[in-house]
Structure formats: C-alpha cells, structure tokens
Amino acid sequence: MSNTLGHNLLQQSLLRSPVLEPQRKLTLFRAACGNQSSLHTRNSPLSRKFRGNNLNLRKSKLAMGTRCPVTLIPRAVLTTGPSSEQLAGKFNLEGNIELQVGFSTPGPGAATQVDVQVTYSSDSLLLHWGLIRDRKEKWVLPSRRPDGTKVYKNKALRTPFVKSGSNSFLKIEIGDPEIQAIEFLIFDEAQNKWFKDNGQNFHVEICKEDKLIPDVSVPEDLVQIQSYLRWERKGKQMYTPEQEKVEYEAARTELMDEIARGASIQDLRAKLMKNDSSVVREPSISETKRVPDDLVQIQAFIRWEKAGKPNYSPNEQLREFEEARKELQIELEKGASLDEIRKKITKGEIQTKVTKQLHQKKYFSAEKRQRKKRDLIQLITKYAAESVEEHDSIKPKALTVVEEFAKMKEEQDGGHVLNKKIYKLADKKLLVLVTKTEGKTKVHLATDFKDPVTLHWALSKQRAGEWLEPPPTALPTGSISLNKAIETQLTNNSSANPPYEVQSLDIEIEDDSFTGMPFVLVSGGNWIKNNGSDFFIEFSVKSKPVQKDSGDGKGTAKALLDKIVDMESEAQKSFMHRFNIAADLIDQAKNVGELGLAGILVWMRFMATRQLIWNKNYNVKPREISRAQDRLTDLLQNVYTSHPQYRELLRMIMSTVGRGGEGDVGQRIRDEILVVQRNNDCKGGMMEEWHQKLHNNTSPDDVVICQALIDHIESDFDVGVYWKSLNENGITKERLLSYDRGIHSEPNFRRDQKDSLLRDLRNYMRTLKAVHSGADLESAISNCMGYKAEGQGFMVGVKINPISGLPSGFPELLQFVLEHVEDKNVEALLEGLLEARQELRPLLFKSKDRLKDLLFLDIALDSTVRTAIERGYEELSNAPPEKIMYFIALVLENLALSSDNNEDLIYCLKGWNHALSMCKSRDDHWALHAKSVLDRTRLALANKAEWYLQVLQPSAEYLGSQLGVDQWAVDIFTEEIIRAGSAASLSSLVNRLDPVLRKTANLGSWQVISPVEVVGYVVVVDELLAVQNKSYEQPTILVAKSVKGEEEIPDGAVAVLTPDMPDVLSHVSVRARNGKVCFATCFDPNILADLQAKKGKLLRLKATSADIIYSELKEGELAEASSTNLKDGSTPSLTLVRKKFSGRYAISSEEFTSDMVGAKSRNIANLKGKVPSWLGIPTSVALPFGVFEKVLSDKSNQAVAEKLKILKKKLGEGEVSALREIRETVLQLAAPSQLVQELKTKMQSSGMPWPGDEGEQRWEQAWIAIKKVWASKWNERAYFSTRKVKLDHDYLCMAVLVQEIINADYAFVIHTTNPSSGDSSEIYAEVVKGLGETLVGAYPGRALSFICKKNDLNSPRVLGYPSKPIGLFIRRSIIFRSDSNGEDLEGYAGAGLYDSVPMDEEDKVVLDYSSDKLMIDGNFRHSILSSIARAGSAIEELYGSPQDIEGVVRDGKVYVVQTRPQM
C-alpha cells in the first residue's frame, strides 16, 4: 500500500472531531458515490500527498455535505438484486492474462448466474471451486453444476472452461439463497499451473440486497479507519490507486455487514478505536478551535522536508501529523487567524523542532548502501570436490537373513510392493512385506527368532487398530479362530542359496475391502508388541509407496548410508541422539569425500523436512539437545576449514541443523516458558500442554508454534489464523497430537493479556531461535554482534560477546539490513545483504573459534536474499529490462558467493555487468549481447542442477527407500534443494527477461537451422541421443528436450524441434540439412509446451528461415500432405572402392592423390599457392590409405589381428557392444619401425617438428593419437551412419592427415551459402574462442554467428554473441585428422563422423568474454569478421562452388585448416 493511504487515513479521520465536522475526502480511496449530484465542492489550497520519498501536489476538491449512500457495489462482491447485471471483479493473473467475474439474476426467485471469463486459451483450463455458506471455511458443493464438472477428493468441484477464440469462459448458476460467496482457483492441468489471488483463493461475495439498510450510511472516517486496519493486516502492501479504491469499498462492506447484524455507528466507532492501538487522542467535542486538515497536511510536509524526506512507518506518519497539528494549534490558541497561519506556513515562520527531535529518535535510515567496487575475479573459487573409495572402517554390510528372505519374496512374487517394514525387536528383526499379485493381497512375515513364534492377528477395514475376524479363505493351515482374532504358528523356512534360516508365514487375502492387519506376536509365553502398542501394517500406503528395489546404492557412499540406516532406530529417540550419531559419522563421511558428506546432508534434510521421527519414547532436556547440536556444528566448522572443496555441502548440512550451544542455552527453553505462563496467568490448557512438550523434547516445531501463537494474538485472537500459521509451516493437528506430550487444546487467552503475551512470546521466540534456527537472520546477527540480558525473566544472565575482527562499519551494515528486511521495494535490501556477504567472505576462509557463528550469519544472509527477491517479483512486473538485468546480477552474485566452483558464475556476472553498461549507453547490440549472457547463465544453472542431481539424488533414493521416506519427498529431493537456494530465483528472473530480449533484438521465438516443410506425428523424447539409432515406421516430428550437437537423426524423423541450442554448423545441424529434415530451436516455453501437449497428433510444419508455423491435420490428410516430404525407406546403397596400401607409410602434401588420401587432405593441399598471401595454410603430411591394414598384418600385431577378426564377427552378428572392444583392441597395435622412420622423414622435410625429438614418450603420445583416429572407424555414430545408407563398412578406409596445431585465439567455420536461408549471396560463419572442437563437437552453448554479403565483404552483421562457457587451448603440438574415403561420396556427409585427435590433451578454460577484444572492441571485431568473410569468398571463388571451411585466427592472421564442398 502506498504511503498515501497511511497519511490520508490519518488526516481525514484520526485527527479530527468524529461527529461535528463535515467529512472531507482527501484519500486515494475515493468511493464512487451513487448520488453524485448531491455533492458540493469548493476549491482549497494545494493538497499534498506523500508517495515514497516524493511529494505530489495537485489542486484538491474537498467533498462536503452528503455522504455516499451504501448502495455501492464493491468490486469483489456480487449483489443479487432483481434483473441486476453487474461486473463483480476484474483481476490480473499474470502478464496480459486477465480474469473477469460478472453476475446476473433474471428475476425474483431465480438462480444467480456467475460468469467467469479469462483472457487465456487452453484445452486444459479448469475452475477449482466451491461455495461458502454461513461463513464456514469448508466449501459447499452444490448439486447444480455446469456440464463436465467433476468432484475433486470430495472437497471441491472442477469445471472445464469453454474456449472462445483467445479467451476461456464458463457460467455457474447458484440457486441456494443461503450461499454467501463463491471461492475458486484457476488450474491449467496440462501446465500444472495454478492462478491465485496473491497466493490466496479468489473470494467473491454474494450480498443480498434485503440484508442492506439503505437508510443508514457509514461515516467516511470509520470507513477510512477500517481501510487502514485492513492495510495493516495485509502486511502494509504497496497498492495501486485502483487497488486502494477496491480496498476502500471492501472496508465499507465489512462495516455495513456489522450494521446489518445490529451494530450501531457508536458500536463501530468504539470497536475501531479500541482495535487500532495507533489511533491518537482526538480533540474533544467541546474544543471549538480546530486547525483544518489541509493546513496540517502542508505543515507535516514541511516537517518531512526538514527531516530529510525519510520513509516513515505508519506509526511514525501518525506521530508526525499529530506533531504538525500541535504546532498549528499553538498558533491558533495564541489568537492567530487561519489566514495568518496560512501565511506563516508559506513563509516558514512556524516554529518546529523536527530536525533535532527526529534525528535523535532514529526515525531515519539511509535509502541505499553505497557498495564498494570489487574485482570480481577475486571471488573465484575452483575447488574440485572428489570422492574416494570408502575405507575399510565402513565396509558394506551383508544382507541379514530377514533381508535375504524379503529379497527372495519380492523376486518370487514379481508384483507391486504395497508396504514393507522391518521392525527391530531387541537383537532380532521382524519383516512384514505386503505385495499385490494377480488381484490378491499377500502378507509375508519372517523373523530370525530362535524360539517358536505365534502370530495373533486380525484384519481392519475402517481404521487402524480395528480387529475384524478374517474370512476363512484367508486362514493359513493350522490357524485357530478366537474371538475376532486368529492365531497362526510361524514355520521354519531355510535356503542354501542365498543362505538364510527364518520362521515365516504367508497370508493371502482376496477381499479388497480390507485395508490393513493388526497383530502381536507370542513367543516363550511373552507378548511381543510394537513399543507397547499393537503392530499394524497397512495394505496400501498412500503417502509412502515402497520401491520394490531400492537399488544397489550406486553413486552413493553405500556403506556409510547402511550405517545410518542401522542407527536410525536409535536416532529416532531424540534430537540429542540424532545429532550425536551424526557427529560420530562426520569424520568417516569426510574421509569418503563428496558422496559421504552428501549422505549426511540427505539424512539431515530428511530430518529437517519431518520425514523422519524426531522423538520416540525418550525424554531429553533441551540443554542436552543444544549441547549435541553444538558438538555437531563444531565438527562441521572444522571440516569447513580443513576441506574447502566441500564447503558448499557443509553449508547445506549446517542449514538443516540449529546452532545449539553449551551451558544454559538449551535450558532457557525450559525455564522461560514458565516465565511466559507465570507473567500471563496461562498455566492450563494449550500452554500447559506446550510446556510439557518443551520440557520433554523441544524441536524446531516449537519455533512454528510460537509464531502461530503470536499471529493468533495479533489477529485479535482469531483461532483460524493460529491454524493457518501452523499448517503453512507443515504442522497439522495430527502432528500436534503425535508428540510424546501431545498438544490437544487450542489457545484460549483473555483480551487483557494481549500486550503482555506478545511481549513475552517475542522474547521467548528469541530463545527458541537461538537453539533451533541457526539460519534465522535476527538470531544469527545477534550471535555475531553480541547481546546481553534483556526483558524480565528472559535471557537472564546471558551475555554473548561480539566476534572480534569484524570489518569496519559491519554492525551498521547489519543494522541497515534488519531495518529494511521487510521492505516491499527490495533493491536497497538486496544491495545491503550482498554487501554484508562480501564483507563477511574473507573471514569465512580463516580458522576462528566462532567461525560457525559467521557461517550461520552468511547462510541467513543468503536465505534472506532468496526471500527478498521472491517478494520483489511484483516490483519487476512492469520494470524496464535494465532493472531486471540488475536484479539478475544481484541474485547471480549471491549464488556465486555460496558455490564452491563458481568461475563460470563469476564470468556470467561480469557479462551481465557489461550488458548493463551497454544498455545504459544505448549500444545497438546490448540486447543481443544480453541474450548471449542469458543463454550462458541458463547453461550454468543447468550444470548446477546436474551436479546436485548427480551428487545428492542417488543418496536420497537409496536412503529414502531404506528409511521408508515418502516417495514424493524422495522424487523431488534435488528439486527442493535447488528451490531452497538462489538458483530457482535466478532461473525465474532469466525466464522473465528472455522474451523481452528476444523482442528487442528481433530474434523471434525460433531459430530455424534447417527450414523444410514436413508432416508427421509428434513424439516427445528427453534427449535425441537416446533415440538416434531408432527407426520410426511413420513420419515423426521429434520434440527433444536435449540436443547436444553430435547426434544422428533417426530414420523416419522428418523434424527435430528442441529448446536446446546446438550450433547452426554442428554435426546434427549439417545432418538435418543434408537429410532434408526440419530442425529448429524454440525459445518460447509456451510454444514448446503446446507442441509437447500435441504428443501423438499429426501436424504440418511450415518453416521459413526465421519461423515455424504448425497446424493439426486429420489422419486422412497424411498421404496427400506429405507425399513430397516422407522418406520411402528405399535409400539406395552407396558403393565404396577398397583402397590398397601404396607401399609408403607416409607422404607429403605434394603426393596427395585420390588413391592415397581423402578429400580433406587433397583440398587443403590444393589451396597452397592459390589463395591470397594474407591467408595462411598449414603444412601437412599424411599416413595414406592402407597403412592401418598394413600395420595390422605385421607379425608384431598377429594377436591383435586375431582378436579383431573375432570381434568383427560378433559385430556382424548384431552384438553392438563389440564396437567398444574393437576400439580398445586397435589401441594395442605396435608401430613397425619403417612407419616410424618414414613419418619422421616426411615431417622433418616438410618443416614440421618430429615428436620423437622430445623423447620416446612424446612419440608414444603421437602413436596413440594415430591409433585413436583409426579406431574411430568403429565409433557408434559412424557405424550406424554407414548402416543407414547401406555402406559396406569393411570397405571404408582411413587415411590420417598430420598437421601442426596452430594455437588459435579463435576458430571458425564458414558456409559460403547461408545454410538457414539458402541465400547464395550471403556468407554465414560461426566463431569460437580457442580451438574449433568446441564448435564442431558437442560442447554446450552457442558460437558468435554473423552473415556477410559477398558484394560487401567489409560489412559483417552479427546475428548472435557467444554463450559457450568453455574454450579449448593447447601447447604447440601436432593434430592427427581423420580422412576417410567416405568423405568423397556424393549424397553422404561422411565428414565429422570420425575423430581428429591432438597429440596433447587440450586445456579446458572457462571463458571470460567481458575482457575478450572480439566482444568489447567493435573495430577489432569488424576487422576479424571481415577477414573471415574474405577468406570464405576467396576459397569459394577458387573452387567455383559453395564451400564448408574450417580455420583459425592467430594474432590477427587467418589460417584455413580444411575445406570441402558445402552439403
């Protein structure tokens, strides 16, 4: 809500006589009066309104005389008068999506018709709704329902909308006159997307006219007070003028409801004045002299200006206006007239003490914190976490005999496992396994008891614990029927393989109406129960479906997790037990490495999210819990210091554990609840029950309970608010009852206890958070800054010293954060939070006794950034792109500060800063540049998510299955970890900015790589790689979430559409164009979602160079529509000529012929001496065709040849796995001495360095690289490609082109005819930093792309800037390039299928484009791109046909390393 509302409510109602003075309307809440003609206006001096830090001046018309009658229709209320036809409400759902609710009543007694319309078109849009009667919370489900309505879980109705153009609508008839309101949400089922009213249900009231009292009106001052109270209750939001008007009328309606129930105006006034503690005393009726409000307002403004234009809180606003009134009242009482006072105000002659008084009272805070300029490079951390083999101290455990039996039964049944539990009974175990097979429920019991065991059992239908006698068909042989129960003896069961010996029993139940089985065991005359209660096994566990096979723990520290599972029953006793067990395991987890600490994190998070039992039959003192916490966090602090590579995981573990503390930190929880009870005389009921729980086992739930009580009291003791606060934080009524000391009662306080209770509970909350909420911002700041005893009975004797060595000004910075932590405009808060984290960062790398306090503070600051940015989304609704980019930079900085390996994130951050400066300077390319940084940021987020998934999810799945955690909690474990950090907020901001950038840069929703018109059936796949070898029988449009760039396109696929961003010149892009397959990247998630929703549908795609248009076809239209596009499956086979060994192991470029080498070698040799002198051509030699076969036939390689023969036979028989074995076998070849000598001679005579000159090891490296090139003939992609075109794989021969590597600054690929548009007058090229492998290989991200007209080679136009995070660089070296005879075949793109291998391994470098001349120096970029374009034009002119050219740039000089005809 704007500050205007707070000021105006004060001016108009709280500071004037409530009865005698005519009502003035100075508020933005302007009621639309029904009788406007009755209003009289007069001019007044300037009316001034505060809005933030500005003052709006305007001429004000002060309405006087007649008040608005109460026949006003608020926007969110339906009035059902005869023949009425009204708009009830209009809401903005998201972006341009609007919701409109209207109603009409045909006549007296007729049903009210509600019309709901949404400017959103979807086949899956539903209204999730119910009706409200008698103000009860539970929805009423009427019998009169629109067509297609379904009942959802007996709690709500779901009605589908009807599509009409771009809108959706539906009509609902309400015939019940007792219905007071309709509540609803809107749900897009296909998108799994909910539309809500600011996070709440939409609520539209249906007011009956006969309940209104038309002759009674509510005084405007009361309406204004009620509006103010509503504003406070809703968290003092910033409202638009339109929202203020709606709020004002809603306040009026609430007061009219009170009048309709019999309240008088005096009653309302008394109630409102009592409820608003901020209302100041108004002058009595007897006071005859009074200063007009407009003068008070002007004087208040003058005071505000003198005070430095601060942001006042509502209470401070009230105080300021009262002070201004007092100052003017003094002048009035001295005898000055109003005109004289007005002149004095204008001249500034009214005495005021505002400057001195207000500054003393600390009413002000700085608008923004000035951030220090920092070198972002200094923030880079490059810790590479690793996992080691688990030590012998944690050997994997063997399965127990009961677990072996369970495994055997699961495999034997082969059915769905409904439930599985293994109970620990002293040193023995009891298995209960429930499966569903062939319509029968089977219960298998087994135990390793040595003494005979009898099962005393029954069945249940309605509830757990119900004992019903089973049907005769369910009784195992030898069963004895008792009163409503059965006794059955378990029998001995043994096996040699796997070895086990147990007592077991199988029960089969055919009747599906039974829901569970209660039982106890009898052995040796003793009754064996489950912790004093009957055992009960459910037949269908709704929230915890059990995985049939929990996996082998691959990708986890399995032995450590098994130990955790063994200790869980002990850990369930109390938090003290759990934290001490975790502390005992920390050293072992650290020694295992990354996966060990990941296991601890998963376990602790399952605990924190209430998936594990917190307390079971064990009473423990709070101080013992806090001591155990303290021990655990001390150990985590030590590992944080000694093993920096695990800091990110350690931070996450600490965020799940409270700070704890030695001494009386925990004991205060027990002592101070007694203070609360004693001070407020509340020793029975709910407070006593909570007291008992706190004494026996305090937990993080107590923080939630305390907050719920505070919310309850602040809401004027509304018990609904108490339950809402609990439920929103995961505590249900059932959970309260489940505590060892259950909480059964609701709070029941007296009104006179309100102020004292709030004071004491807030003090007590500080104690609770000190133990349980390490990441609570206020507690974390207090622990670092220090505090001492405050409040009577609270924190008695407590003194925490401030941490020494904190940066100068740091306490003031933290104070700024606390003062602004609830600001709705969050930019200044975010800056303050990040400045605090930056100041704190150097201290986190030093070993300190109280390092953990600093860590908890940093974790709290990190968490507050996330909550602030989520609160600030509204601030960005209509924000310009530079503001969104700035917010992205802030959140990205926060993520980088919390990440171990953050180099890529830091360079993204530098990229955003550069994009911001380009935007502010109005650079024409700012949007294109920002789009490339956005794409890179998305890749960084995807890598982050992949790391979480790889490190955490396997442990979550294994541990979750072993501990019986809810399956949904296991499935979303990694997702929730990501949501808990900044990555999710960053992703949301990026998605918000993307369409803005695409529109600004004229990028559209598609990048069309291969524009082909096709018809096919939609198939949705996760990744193209998974289906590249598949053959589709009907024309198929693949919608693939992931396309990396090196995949093959499967047979039968006529189109590939993806959100991924492969380079236009990547292998898969070339394949698509060659195969006339439509291939495009879709940037719009809504379009992509629509395509995915059309799975199985027949579509026609019409592609241009910039767009894809699709439409649905009927089945019969397939043949005629696709006759020119569908493959007939009769691809002609291609013929290869087998190449023979020429007698030479190595040849120079002058000897390259078609019999000796492939087109790649011949083309590069052909360029020598024919291209302009400024264009460099590398020196080349080659190992010609037949050398591989000659080496294989050498006597020294006879064993290798025999093995290859066997493997080739296996391959011919369809064993594709033989490909990998063949490649490994080729690497075993030995080099004949003649080959070594000839290659050495040719390389040296050509001026190339000979690897052997640097030692025998360097030659071995070169020889391995040559063999890898030969072995690539048998890589999967190449093998399947030759099979598709029926190419005889045995006839494919491989020459090896040998070149010296040019250590490139940049690498490029040119297509001299634009491949996307087919425009032969236009060159298209892509450029990457470093070696070209990142361009032609499957490296994520996009290259710099540009086009250039051949008639104007000096005017390249950039289409997109690079987003590839990785560049490859290498020392001076040799590269061995594949050059097969398959590359000469017309119609077959053999190039790119086989490997080129450098002798030395490339260095992967994370790229910083913000310092790259190609990105930041326009003149340099123009020069390099023009040179590349000229090279392409010269080579095309030489060959006379379009060319596909690869080259590099070194020190500004362009080199061409290969060229071939453009396919």
Side-chain angles (χ1 to χ4, degrees), residues 228-241:
Y228 181 85
L229 295 174
R230 284 173 58 86
W231 175 62
E232 279 195 323
R233 285 200 304 267
K234 292 190 174 184
K236 302 180 181 178
Q237 302 176 27
M238 292 293 292
Y239 288 154
T240 64

Side-chain angles (χ1 to χ4, degrees), residues 659 766 773-787 800-803 806 810-819 821 829 833 836 840 850 853-854 856-858 860-861 864:
R659 177 185 177 275
R766 186 172 180 177
S773 303
D776 173 70
L777 183 62
E778 189 173 356
S779 298
I781 289 175
S782 296
N783 283 326
C784 291
M785 295 298 101
Y787 58 85
I800 302 293
N801 292 320
I803 295 176
L806 294 176
F810 192 61
E812 292 78 10
L813 181 56
L814 294 180
Q815 185 60 36
F816 172 86
V817 166
L818 284 177
E819 288 172 358
V821 76
L829 171 63
L833 288 164
L840 193 58
R850 295 180 61 189
D853 284 336
L854 296 176
F856 276 123
L857 174 57
D858 191 55
L861 292 167
T864 308

Side-chain angles (χ1 to χ4, degrees), residues 94 97 120 125 186-195 1086:
E94 179 184 284
I97 303 173
Y120 181 84
L125 201 63
I186 295 175
F187 180 46
D188 188 336
E189 195 170 25
Q191 302 292 326
N192 194 24
K193 184 175 186 178
W194 291 90
F195 295 100
N1086 294 322

Side-chain angles (χ1 to χ4, degrees), residues 41 78 142 175 299 313 409 493 533 555 575 825 856 1163 1273 1320 1390:
T41 62
L78 305 180
Q299 178 65 10
S313 70
K409 280 295 181 184
N493 194 324
S533 302
F575 279 115
N825 295 324
F856 276 123
N1163 288 339
K1273 173 181 173 179
S1320 61

